[in-house]
Each structure stands twice: as C-alpha cells, then as structure tokens.
Amino acid sequence: MTEKKKILLSGMQPSGALHLGNYEGALRNWVELQNTGKYEMFNCIVDWHALTSGFESTEQLVPRIYEMAADYISAGLDPEKTAIFVQSQVKEHAELHLLLSMIIPTPWLERVPSYKEKAESLGLDSYGFLGYPLLQSADIIVYRADVVPVGKDQLPHLELTREVVRRFHYLYGDVFPEPQALVTKFQVLPGTDGKKMSKTYGNFIALGDPPDIVKKKVMSMFTDQTKIHKTDPGHPEDCPVYIYRTIYDADLPADLADKCSSGDPSVGCVGCKKALLSALIDYFADFRERREELLADKAQLDAFLESGADRARQRASETMKLVREAMHMFKPEM
Ligand code: ADP
C-alpha cells in the first residue's frame, strides 16, 4: 500500500532576482525535499505579502514574479512535481484570511516578534502589515499542509499558525492538521561585503547574474581585513571568498585554509577570488541558460504557473468547503 504523501507548503516574496543567500537558505532545500518524493509540494509566490511593505511601488511586481518563477525552475523545482503558483491567483487565501481575522485576538499579532521593531524601522502601520502573519497562516492551512520548511527565525510565525488552528478547532471543530516545522539547518551566507547577504544591502550575487557582473562583484569582494600582505595570517572561516569556495568550488584544495591561516605566500586573496569566479560561473552555467530560455518564453512560464494554480485551487477549494461547513456559512460548496 502506498502511504499518503504529506503536504508541504513553501513560499517566498517576489522581491527581485534570487541571490545566493536565498538559494542556500531556502531554494536548495526545497529542491532536495521535492526530490525525496516524500511530499506533495506546493510552492507559493506570495505577491500579496510583497504589498505589505511595497504597496507604493507595484510596477515591478509582475516582472519580479516571472523572474522568481524562472529562478525556481532553473534551480530545479520541477513544475510537474511542485505546484508553483502565484498567491493572488488562488483567491481562497484571501477568503480564509478574512475568516481567520474574525477569530484572532489582535494582541496575538502585536506580540509576534519583530512586528514592533519592523513596523517602526520601516514606518509601516497598515492593517495589512499587522495581519501579514495571519495571511501567512491562511497560506499554509488553506492547503491543510502538514509541514513547512522554515529557518529558526520563522518558528514564531508557525507557532502562531498552530495557535490559530487550535482556536479554529475549539470554535468550529477539526478541519486542519497542525502544521509542523521542518527546520532547515543552513548557514547564513555573507554578502560580498561580509555582512549578511541581502537585497536590501546591495551586497548580493544573484543566481542569474551574467559572468561580467559576477566578475565585478567577486573581484571587489571583501576578504580578510587583517590580511594585507600575502604573508599575513588569514582567517578563512570568516572570509566570504573562502566560504563561497567551500560551497561552489569542487576543486577547492584541501590545504588552502591551512595555507591561508599560516600566511603561506603561495596563496593570496586575488588568486582565491579568481578561482572562486571561475567556480561560480561554472556552477551556475546551466542555471543561467535555462533561466534565459524561460524568461524569453513567457507563454511557457505562464503555462507552468497556471497549471500550478489549478492544482493549488483544487486543494484550496476543498479546504474552503470544509471551513464554510464548519462555520455554518451560507451555501458552503460555492
Ligand atoms: P532578502 O534579505 O534578500 O530580502 P528575504 O528576506 O526575502 O531575502 O529571504 C528570502 C529567503 O531567503 C528566506 O527563507 C531567508 O531565510 C533566505 N535568506 C535570505 N538571505 C539569506 C542569507 N544571506 N543566507 C541564508 N539565507 C538567506
């Protein structure tokens, strides 16, 4: 007998081309999870979430969605195996969010870690921004998802979802599984300046950057600030160039770290950057080719996103029927 596959929901905001940090922190893991064949996979490009902080400039939203879809597929998410879709194409997310908004006490949202801090630093005070963790809950439970791959920092959000599920069940009876976290161990990838890689800091290397841009970025990377001369001892474990090489350079010499730390003059930062550059260009060569093909053929991308949305809608509409029935709504099947 075949065991029923667990439902897995993952997603990201379409905020532009994906960078190496997004790949190491999320996408690589999603592809691996997909390839285990253990899960029924839904991956949501959460465009409504992008509006919580980006409502003033929406012109870039559509191109960013296409870029994200192209990045996903080029990196190995297979639209046959993972339903890749755009959140706003599945209206059930919005309906469930609205219904959940009736039962959630606002203090639950106000106490979400990072809410106050982010609201203040970004100057955001909208209703949508306060409610975004609840929209996230709706995104997950509308698929009756069993598991959600998250980093540790996302655990409080998932805990909120589990509390909302329990409250719903207490009021109306059981409909949803309580989603479990699949905690991903990943390293926070430094950017080209040594700080956390992020779109916001402009210190990223995008997966789809053409070789000339990768070259500019790599050759101007920070290395070890204390290693001025070749013979100065380096600290490879803190050097972004070395860290990237451990991930992307299949030919990384086993003794490089030792040589760097001991100030062996046979190795130096410029040579190290050149080796990284060529490794990175090779590593993402197929990715870039596939991405270009996809972005040149929007009809194909549209077809993938539509088929993903069809599968998502089917599951979400079954859930909403159960939700409306449980809540004694008018004509639950519609
Ligand atoms: P950004 O900081 O560039 O805006 P996001 O906050 O949109 O990136 O993150 C999207 C996903 O990528 C999240 O799962 C996040 O944990 C992961 N991620 C982002 N930056 C990094 C990084 N430097 N190292 C590892 N994972 C990262």
Side-chain angles (χ1 to χ4, degrees):
M1 219 175 74
T2 51
E3 210 179 309
K4 213 169 152 290
K5 285 185 179 182
K6 287 192 170 168
I7 308 265
L8 182 152
L9 187 279
S10 55
M12 227 190 270
Q13 280 191 31
S15 50
L18 293 181
H19 54 63
L20 300 179
N22 303 136
Y23 184 58
E24 298 308 329
L27 185 51
R28 186 196 282 277
N29 182 44
W30 298 346
V31 174
E32 281 169 12
L33 290 166
Q34 164 194 277
N35 293 341
T36 63
K38 286 206 302 207
Y39 303 99
E40 185 174 343
M41 308 271 299
F42 291 90
N43 185 287
C44 185
I45 299 178
V46 290
D47 57 340
W48 279 331
H49 281 279
L51 298 179
T52 56
S53 56
F55 59 89
E56 283 175 317
S57 50
T58 51
E59 305 78 15
Q60 286 307 309
L61 202 53
V62 172
R64 284 175 176 171
I65 288 170
Y66 282 119
E67 270 197 297
M68 178 163 264
D71 280 346
Y72 281 176
I73 297 167
S74 312
L77 277 190
D78 175 349
E80 298 266 319
K81 296 182 186 158
T82 297
I84 305 169
F85 62 96
V86 180
Q87 181 188 31
S88 62
Q89 297 296 288
V90 185
K91 310 296 183 201
E92 284 80 359
H93 291 241
E95 184 187 356
L96 185 55
H97 178 223
L98 176 94
L99 293 175
L100 297 177
S101 78
M102 305 300 165
I103 69 167
I104 187 168
T106 28
W108 288 19
L109 289 168
E110 284 159 347
R111 70 167 194 236
V112 168
S114 83
Y115 165 68
K116 274 216 167 71
E117 187 191 311
K118 231 175 150 184
E120 276 164 23
S121 72
L122 300 175
L124 293 169
D125 54 6
S126 71
Y127 179 54
F129 182 66
L130 174 66
Y132 100 79
L134 189 65
L135 179 57
Q136 213 170 45
S137 301
D139 298 336
I140 298 168
I141 67 176
V142 82
Y143 299 102
R144 281 165 285 146
D146 300 294
V147 288
V148 186
V150 287
K152 269 204 195 116
D153 54 329
Q154 283 288 313
L155 283 175
H157 285 189
L158 194 63
E159 195 45 46
L160 178 83
T161 302
R162 293 157 56 82
E163 282 171 25
V164 169
V165 165
R166 291 197 280 269
R167 183 154 168 81
F168 186 97
H169 290 170
Y170 166 75
L171 291 165
Y172 309 115
D174 290 5
V175 171
F176 311 102
E178 268 184 41
Q180 306 291 321
L182 253 182
V183 182
T184 326
K185 267 200 242 130
F186 62 85
Q187 71 185 119
V188 173
L189 204 71
T192 49
D193 59 358
K195 283 195 280 187
K196 179 190 172 211
M197 183 178 288
S198 170
K199 241 154 282 155
T200 339
Y201 306 144
N203 61 357
F204 61 87
I205 296 178
L207 304 183
D209 273 346
D212 57 324
I213 302 285
V214 180
K215 182 173 179 190
K216 261 196 204 134
K217 292 183 176 175
V218 168
M219 295 317 286
S220 62
M221 271 176 84
F222 281 37
T223 49
D224 184 339
Q225 303 298 299
T226 60
K227 188 170 167 70
I228 316 285
H229 307 288
K230 268 189 166 180
T231 47
D232 292 337
H235 302 85
E237 64 289 352
D238 297 323
C239 168
V241 175
Y242 182 76
I243 293 172
Y244 292 9
R245 282 189 73 187
T246 60
I247 307 175
Y248 304 110
D249 187 353
D251 301 322
L252 178 73
D255 58 356
L256 179 65
D258 283 345
K259 284 187 170 167
C260 172
S261 322
S262 63
D264 182 329
S266 70
V267 300
C269 298
V270 175
C272 210
K273 286 180 180 179
K274 284 186 181 157
L276 169 64
L277 176 63
S278 107
L280 267 180
I281 289 175
D282 277 2
Y283 196 95
F284 289 103
D286 293 345
F287 173 94
R288 275 193 306 276
E289 200 178 312
R290 180 81 178 114
R291 182 179 195 269
E292 247 170 63
E293 268 169 32
L294 284 165
L295 286 173
D297 185 0
K298 291 275 161 57
Q300 197 189 0
L301 273 180
D302 274 330
F304 287 144
L305 291 173
E306 271 162 36
S307 100
D310 283 345
R311 273 136 72 198
R313 240 178 254 124
Q314 193 181 342
R315 176 88 187 162
S317 64
E318 285 166 14
T319 307
M320 287 316 296
K321 182 167 174 284
L322 298 173
V323 168
R324 295 183 208 112
E325 273 168 6
M327 293 181 74
H328 313 290
M329 302 302 291
F330 182 64
K331 298 195 190 289
E333 67 288 353
M334 292 181 69

